[in-house]
Amino acid sequence: MFTRRTGALLSVSALLFGGTFVAAKAGLAHLPPLFFVAVRFDIGAVVLAAFAATRLSRAELRPRTVGDVAGIVATGVLVIGLTNALLFVGQQYVTSGVAAVVFSLNPILTPVFAAVLLGEDGLSVRGFVGMGLGLFGVALVADPDPSALLAGGLGVPLLFAAAVTSALGAVLIRRADATLSSTARTVWGVPLAAALSHALSIGAGESVSGLSVPPVAIAALLYVGVFSGAIAYLAYFALIDETDATRANLLFYFVPVVSAVGGWALLGETLSVRSLVGFGVIFAGFLLVSGLSAGPSRLLRQLIPARFVDDGPL
């Protein structure tokens, strides 16, 4: 079940991750993809190091068990490093709409891995219907060209691999049963992802000599480094610990919604009736999978502090 805390963590994660697709497109026009990812996490690592220096003790940061190490590796290598490397490279070949739809397979893949690796029961019929509604809603919002899904070259396979890696990593974090807090795992994981991304960039032969970085690329780097690279991951990994991987990854249904609203509010893009219907379909799917009541009164009481909700009937 979702609580007010998990609702807040999900909202923060979805809001900050929502700008990643737009910022990635802006940055990829000027920077090689793997180098872009690497610098993104260099920035995130610096931010998290400063945060850890003021908020965490050495004891809180020190890995003590095999599970702690496994949790750090799953966090840094799979969920952050490989996922973003595949995502940013894949986005070169497809539109943002196609990328959003393919990566939104993540919430559907997560319960499959959870059933195999954690022995969790499969989704109920209600859950399967909710997952299907969520994916359908994402397709309505993103509105991709159907032919682009089939003719995206390397793009679609790379984005699907990113969804698989992200879902698998989220489940392995739960399986690791680490004693470290999610915050400590993130502090370790982001620099690990940065090192992996730099190695992949060098291995791929990306050239950065004579690279010109205009202000728009710098702004994109700062956003994906600080907001969706550090803060969003702190919230996301805390969400996995608070609930489970399947429910935590429902946030990726809301990422295209945030992107669409952000494009409308900041870039003057239009929101079609189709997109507005998609928002409603995604929310309906979320309610089915999450177990939240769709009744207005009960929903408010589950997500809003009691002092802000009138005791009388709504």
PDB file of all heavy atoms in Angstrom, residues 155-171:
ATOM      1  N   GLY A 155      17.698   1.923 -32.024  1.00  0.00           N
ATOM      2  CA  GLY A 155      17.075   2.670 -30.945  1.00  0.00           C
ATOM      3  C   GLY A 155      16.154   1.848 -30.067  1.00  0.00           C
ATOM      4  O   GLY A 155      16.308   1.814 -28.842  1.00  0.00           O
ATOM      5  N   VAL A 156      15.185   1.162 -30.666  1.00  0.00           N
ATOM      6  CA  VAL A 156      14.205   0.407 -29.882  1.00  0.00           C
ATOM      7  C   VAL A 156      14.861  -0.730 -29.102  1.00  0.00           C
ATOM      8  O   VAL A 156      14.590  -0.901 -27.905  1.00  0.00           O
ATOM      9  CB  VAL A 156      13.063  -0.094 -30.783  1.00  0.00           C
ATOM     10  CG1 VAL A 156      12.164  -1.066 -30.016  1.00  0.00           C
ATOM     11  CG2 VAL A 156      12.238   1.084 -31.295  1.00  0.00           C
ATOM     12  N   PRO A 157      15.749  -1.553 -29.709  1.00  0.00           N
ATOM     13  CA  PRO A 157      16.409  -2.605 -28.913  1.00  0.00           C
ATOM     14  C   PRO A 157      17.224  -2.044 -27.746  1.00  0.00           C
ATOM     15  O   PRO A 157      17.228  -2.619 -26.656  1.00  0.00           O
ATOM     16  CB  PRO A 157      17.318  -3.299 -29.939  1.00  0.00           C
ATOM     17  CG  PRO A 157      16.672  -3.050 -31.245  1.00  0.00           C
ATOM     18  CD  PRO A 157      16.073  -1.684 -31.142  1.00  0.00           C
ATOM     19  N   LEU A 158      17.914  -0.918 -27.965  1.00  0.00           N
ATOM     20  CA  LEU A 158      18.704  -0.332 -26.876  1.00  0.00           C
ATOM     21  C   LEU A 158      17.808   0.185 -25.758  1.00  0.00           C
ATOM     22  O   LEU A 158      18.113   0.009 -24.568  1.00  0.00           O
ATOM     23  CB  LEU A 158      19.569   0.806 -27.421  1.00  0.00           C
ATOM     24  CG  LEU A 158      20.769   0.391 -28.284  1.00  0.00           C
ATOM     25  CD1 LEU A 158      21.411   1.618 -28.934  1.00  0.00           C
ATOM     26  CD2 LEU A 158      21.795  -0.367 -27.463  1.00  0.00           C
ATOM     27  N   LEU A 159      16.702   0.809 -26.117  1.00  0.00           N
ATOM     28  CA  LEU A 159      15.775   1.325 -25.106  1.00  0.00           C
ATOM     29  C   LEU A 159      15.089   0.184 -24.355  1.00  0.00           C
ATOM     30  O   LEU A 159      14.855   0.279 -23.147  1.00  0.00           O
ATOM     31  CB  LEU A 159      14.736   2.234 -25.769  1.00  0.00           C
ATOM     32  CG  LEU A 159      15.290   3.564 -26.283  1.00  0.00           C
ATOM     33  CD1 LEU A 159      14.333   4.193 -27.271  1.00  0.00           C
ATOM     34  CD2 LEU A 159      15.563   4.516 -25.127  1.00  0.00           C
ATOM     35  N   PHE A 160      14.774  -0.891 -25.063  1.00  0.00           N
ATOM     36  CA  PHE A 160      14.193  -2.060 -24.391  1.00  0.00           C
ATOM     37  C   PHE A 160      15.215  -2.662 -23.420  1.00  0.00           C
ATOM     38  O   PHE A 160      14.870  -3.049 -22.297  1.00  0.00           O
ATOM     39  CB  PHE A 160      13.755  -3.104 -25.416  1.00  0.00           C
ATOM     40  CG  PHE A 160      13.167  -4.346 -24.798  1.00  0.00           C
ATOM     41  CD1 PHE A 160      11.911  -4.320 -24.221  1.00  0.00           C
ATOM     42  CD2 PHE A 160      13.894  -5.526 -24.764  1.00  0.00           C
ATOM     43  CE1 PHE A 160      11.373  -5.464 -23.631  1.00  0.00           C
ATOM     44  CE2 PHE A 160      13.370  -6.669 -24.184  1.00  0.00           C
ATOM     45  CZ  PHE A 160      12.101  -6.638 -23.615  1.00  0.00           C
ATOM     46  N   ALA A 161      16.493  -2.722 -23.844  1.00  0.00           N
ATOM     47  CA  ALA A 161      17.538  -3.221 -22.953  1.00  0.00           C
ATOM     48  C   ALA A 161      17.669  -2.339 -21.719  1.00  0.00           C
ATOM     49  O   ALA A 161      17.911  -2.829 -20.608  1.00  0.00           O
ATOM     50  CB  ALA A 161      18.869  -3.294 -23.701  1.00  0.00           C
ATOM     51  N   ALA A 162      17.484  -1.018 -21.891  1.00  0.00           N
ATOM     52  CA  ALA A 162      17.523  -0.098 -20.753  1.00  0.00           C
ATOM     53  C   ALA A 162      16.387  -0.395 -19.781  1.00  0.00           C
ATOM     54  O   ALA A 162      16.571  -0.386 -18.560  1.00  0.00           O
ATOM     55  CB  ALA A 162      17.436   1.346 -21.238  1.00  0.00           C
ATOM     56  N   ALA A 163      15.185  -0.667 -20.313  1.00  0.00           N
ATOM     57  CA  ALA A 163      14.042  -0.995 -19.466  1.00  0.00           C
ATOM     58  C   ALA A 163      14.291  -2.297 -18.710  1.00  0.00           C
ATOM     59  O   ALA A 163      13.976  -2.411 -17.515  1.00  0.00           O
ATOM     60  CB  ALA A 163      12.779  -1.108 -20.316  1.00  0.00           C
ATOM     61  N   VAL A 164      14.864  -3.291 -19.395  1.00  0.00           N
ATOM     62  CA  VAL A 164      15.177  -4.576 -18.749  1.00  0.00           C
ATOM     63  C   VAL A 164      16.200  -4.381 -17.642  1.00  0.00           C
ATOM     64  O   VAL A 164      16.039  -4.895 -16.520  1.00  0.00           O
ATOM     65  CB  VAL A 164      15.705  -5.584 -19.790  1.00  0.00           C
ATOM     66  CG1 VAL A 164      16.257  -6.837 -19.105  1.00  0.00           C
ATOM     67  CG2 VAL A 164      14.604  -5.977 -20.774  1.00  0.00           C
ATOM     68  N   THR A 165      17.263  -3.644 -17.936  1.00  0.00           N
ATOM     69  CA  THR A 165      18.341  -3.423 -16.956  1.00  0.00           C
ATOM     70  C   THR A 165      17.827  -2.678 -15.729  1.00  0.00           C
ATOM     71  O   THR A 165      18.160  -3.022 -14.590  1.00  0.00           O
ATOM     72  CB  THR A 165      19.482  -2.626 -17.605  1.00  0.00           C
ATOM     73  OG1 THR A 165      19.955  -3.321 -18.755  1.00  0.00           O
ATOM     74  CG2 THR A 165      20.635  -2.447 -16.636  1.00  0.00           C
ATOM     75  N   SER A 166      17.003  -1.667 -15.956  1.00  0.00           N
ATOM     76  CA  SER A 166      16.455  -0.895 -14.846  1.00  0.00           C
ATOM     77  C   SER A 166      15.547  -1.750 -13.963  1.00  0.00           C
ATOM     78  O   SER A 166      15.643  -1.711 -12.731  1.00  0.00           O
ATOM     79  CB  SER A 166      15.676   0.306 -15.399  1.00  0.00           C
ATOM     80  OG  SER A 166      15.077   1.043 -14.361  1.00  0.00           O
ATOM     81  N   ALA A 167      14.665  -2.530 -14.592  1.00  0.00           N
ATOM     82  CA  ALA A 167      13.749  -3.384 -13.835  1.00  0.00           C
ATOM     83  C   ALA A 167      14.509  -4.453 -13.054  1.00  0.00           C
ATOM     84  O   ALA A 167      14.231  -4.702 -11.873  1.00  0.00           O
ATOM     85  CB  ALA A 167      12.749  -4.037 -14.786  1.00  0.00           C
ATOM     86  N   LEU A 168      15.479  -5.097 -13.712  1.00  0.00           N
ATOM     87  CA  LEU A 168      16.274  -6.136 -13.046  1.00  0.00           C
ATOM     88  C   LEU A 168      17.051  -5.545 -11.880  1.00  0.00           C
ATOM     89  O   LEU A 168      17.087  -6.126 -10.784  1.00  0.00           O
ATOM     90  CB  LEU A 168      17.227  -6.770 -14.060  1.00  0.00           C
ATOM     91  CG  LEU A 168      18.232  -7.791 -13.498  1.00  0.00           C
ATOM     92  CD1 LEU A 168      17.497  -8.978 -12.885  1.00  0.00           C
ATOM     93  CD2 LEU A 168      19.189  -8.250 -14.597  1.00  0.00           C
ATOM     94  N   GLY A 169      17.680  -4.394 -12.085  1.00  0.00           N
ATOM     95  CA  GLY A 169      18.453  -3.779 -11.013  1.00  0.00           C
ATOM     96  C   GLY A 169      17.611  -3.421  -9.808  1.00  0.00           C
ATOM     97  O   GLY A 169      18.029  -3.618  -8.665  1.00  0.00           O
ATOM     98  N   ALA A 170      16.407  -2.901 -10.044  1.00  0.00           N
ATOM     99  CA  ALA A 170      15.522  -2.531  -8.928  1.00  0.00           C
ATOM    100  C   ALA A 170      15.163  -3.753  -8.090  1.00  0.00           C
ATOM    101  O   ALA A 170      15.108  -3.679  -6.856  1.00  0.00           O
ATOM    102  CB  ALA A 170      14.259  -1.867  -9.476  1.00  0.00           C
ATOM    103  N   VAL A 171      14.928  -4.881  -8.745  1.00  0.00           N
ATOM    104  CA  VAL A 171      14.598  -6.112  -8.019  1.00  0.00           C
ATOM    105  C   VAL A 171      15.822  -6.644  -7.275  1.00  0.00           C
ATOM    106  O   VAL A 171      15.721  -7.108  -6.135  1.00  0.00           O
ATOM    107  CB  VAL A 171      14.041  -7.171  -8.992  1.00  0.00           C
ATOM    108  CG1 VAL A 171      13.856  -8.511  -8.282  1.00  0.00           C
ATOM    109  CG2 VAL A 171      12.697  -6.702  -9.563  1.00  0.00           C
TER     110      VAL A 171
END
